[in-house]
Amino acid sequence: MRKAGILLHPTSLPTSAGIGTLGKSAFAFVDFLEKAGMKLWQVLPLGPTGYGDSPYQSFSTFALNPLLIDFDDLVERGWATSALIKKPSYIKNKGAVDYGSVVWWKSHALQKIAKHFLELMTNPDSAGEGFDQNAKMEFFSFCRENQYWLKDYAAFMSIKSYYDEKAQAECKKTGTVVNGSWNVYWAKKLSKHDETAVEQWINEHTEDFLQTEVIQFFAFKQWQALHEYAKSKGIEIVGDVPIFVAPDSSDVWANQKLFQTGKDGTFTNVAGVPPDYFSATGQLWGNPLYNWKNMKKDGYAWWIARVKKMLSLVDYVRIDHFRGFEAYWAIPFGSPTAETGKWEKGPGIDLFNAIKKELGDLPLIAEDLGVITDGVRELRDSTGLPGMKVLQFAFDKNEWKQGALKNAFLPHNFETTNCVAYTGTHDNDTTQGLLASLDEETLVLVADYFTGEKNTVESAKKLLSSKKLTKEFIKAVLKSTAETAIVPLQDIYALSSEARMNMPSTAGSNWAWRASEKQISDEKTAAWLKNLTVLYAR
């Protein structure tokens, strides 16, 4: 079935205070998708973000990002008061996300709201008619069903908060940088995830522990409501699972035997990729690598639980860096760049057979970009998973050198319909931004390809300034033979580089872009997209 969709992370939704949330704008965007004839909404990873604000570096692969919680919804449910959600003057409803300000305000507010909720559960009669009397049982049920990850996550966040504050105080006192990571700074038994020590910590910090559980309950309730609404409108959600997890996460801390760590908890090798489309020196991600031998001993139980949880939240899952299952780039810990790494064999089809045996046919998408070998293609094809085709890559000079008949990213060369075509991804510049950055020769080539005519530099620049070339990119992926076509919202409106979501291997201003209210509700744009989906049988 041919489908089309739009890529937009919830943090980029407009109108809510400071950052996009799972509130009214999220529901309005679902309405926009329906009017536009779209069947899919693709998001980035939904986990709680840490330093750098990247959704690909989360404190837990199972948890949801507390920053996505909509405060107005909590008030409507009777779980918060207007006084508790009052925003300070420095929090704005428009413009890019200022993560430092948002995290400071929202994390403290959520702690107060969670404390209020726990008090209401203890004495629900004091809440009046606005409080849902079933909330207490729903909360306990949520904790019970998610015990397998929630307990470790709540404990991790409590311990982390204590040691982060201690490390910061030491930094101020000594004037030196202190590494507060769990495998460096924490007390030895806690860093080792000694069960007795962890239980003792939970018992001594019950309030912190319960507040984290409550905050996750809020996030999951709101996501569930949004997902159900999307289903009612015929919209399916495409989630995203990074192949690796963050070093500063409950996932690694609680499952150290499943990762390449030494006896002291330090990492031996870390993840990244060699030089590719995005970076001349490769990408040094720094994520700990899996100990696939140990994972195989219990039938890949951790991975099965991870995929199962994600599929309870979304309808399809894009697995980032799929090629790492065939072979992964292992970089010695401490290396300054990714250039010093080497390829190591991954679990291959064995992992996917185990997941399929447990969960059945898998609605997964393989992010098969970068350095792709015959082995990676064989693994992708043997799993039956669709790969990705990014149209922007088609006009990279290295690709174009192969000629119009061998360039795998050009729509007329798609070797199978079992793929997902994109104009660009969250790691790319916007299409309009990319086109504006091209040299004159390549820009003319792009114009020639889409117009079918011989262009001059002047005529190509005119097509660029009118934004017609970006529209041609959208049309090309929608009318391609790919069963699925996804377009970032930034490309729908031909936005320039200032709307770029992420620039790999950089930090400081990534993940901050937010759409305007009009951009998720414009009737004229929705009608244009709807016409295209009808024309191209999406």
Side-chain angles (χ1 to χ4, degrees), residues 349-374:
I349 194 64
D350 192 41
L351 170 66
F352 291 93
N353 286 340
I355 297 174
K356 186 174 182 179
K357 181 179 179 181
E358 189 73 22
L359 302 180
D361 289 336
L362 302 175
L364 305 180
I365 297 169
E367 187 272 286
D368 56 346
L369 306 175
V371 181
I372 303 302
T373 64
D374 290 340

Side-chain angles (χ1 to χ4, degrees), residues 11-25:
T11 58
S12 296
L13 289 163
T15 71
S16 53
I19 191 170
T21 71
L22 306 177
K24 292 180 180 178
S25 288

Side-chain angles (χ1 to χ4, degrees), residues 145-311:
E145 292 171 2
N146 293 278
Q147 176 81 356
Y148 65 97
W149 66 267
L150 183 60
K151 180 181 177 181
D152 281 325
Y153 170 68
F156 176 83
M157 296 305 292
S158 176
I159 303 169
K160 174 179 169 58
S161 177
Y162 170 81
Y163 281 101
D164 281 356
E165 290 182 10
K166 187 177 179 180
Q168 290 170 10
E170 189 173 338
C171 286
K172 291 179 181 179
K173 184 178 179 180
T174 63
T176 58
V177 176
V178 177
N179 187 341
S181 299
W182 61 267
N183 56 359
V184 176
Y185 199 68
W186 290 15
K188 187 174 182 179
K189 287 188 176 181
L190 288 174
S191 69
K192 292 284 189 181
H193 195 262
D194 178 83
E195 290 187 9
T196 302
V198 173
E199 286 292 343
Q200 183 178 345
W201 182 277
I202 293 172
N203 291 334
E204 293 174 356
H205 300 81
T206 304
E207 186 175 56
D208 289 349
F209 181 84
L210 288 175
Q211 285 177 5
T212 299
E213 290 191 323
V214 168
I215 291 168
Q216 283 300 302
F217 172 66
F218 291 162
F220 275 84
K221 284 289 291 184
Q222 290 187 354
W223 179 263
Q224 182 182 35
L226 177 61
H227 191 197
E228 289 299 322
Y229 184 74
K231 286 181 180 179
S232 73
K233 296 291 184 175
I235 307 298
E236 296 175 299
I237 298 179
V238 181
D240 196 322
V241 167
I243 183 175
F244 300 116
V245 296
D248 188 20
S249 68
S250 60
D251 307 301
V252 184
W253 170 66
N255 303 279
Q256 294 174 43
K257 291 183 179 180
L258 301 181
F259 296 86
Q260 293 184 25
T261 58
K263 292 182 179 180
D264 58 355
T266 57
F267 309 127
T268 54
N269 292 298
V270 294
V273 290
D276 62 7
Y277 298 110
F278 298 113
S279 174
T281 58
Q283 298 177 46
L284 177 58
W285 298 333
N287 305 74
L289 294 169
Y290 297 109
N291 185 325
W292 288 113
K293 183 178 180 180
N294 285 349
M295 283 198 157
K296 186 174 182 177
K297 289 178 181 178
D298 65 0
Y300 305 101
W302 183 87
W303 260 100
I304 291 171
R306 188 186 191 196
V307 173
K308 183 178 181 180
K309 184 61 184 176
M310 194 63 195
L311 287 174

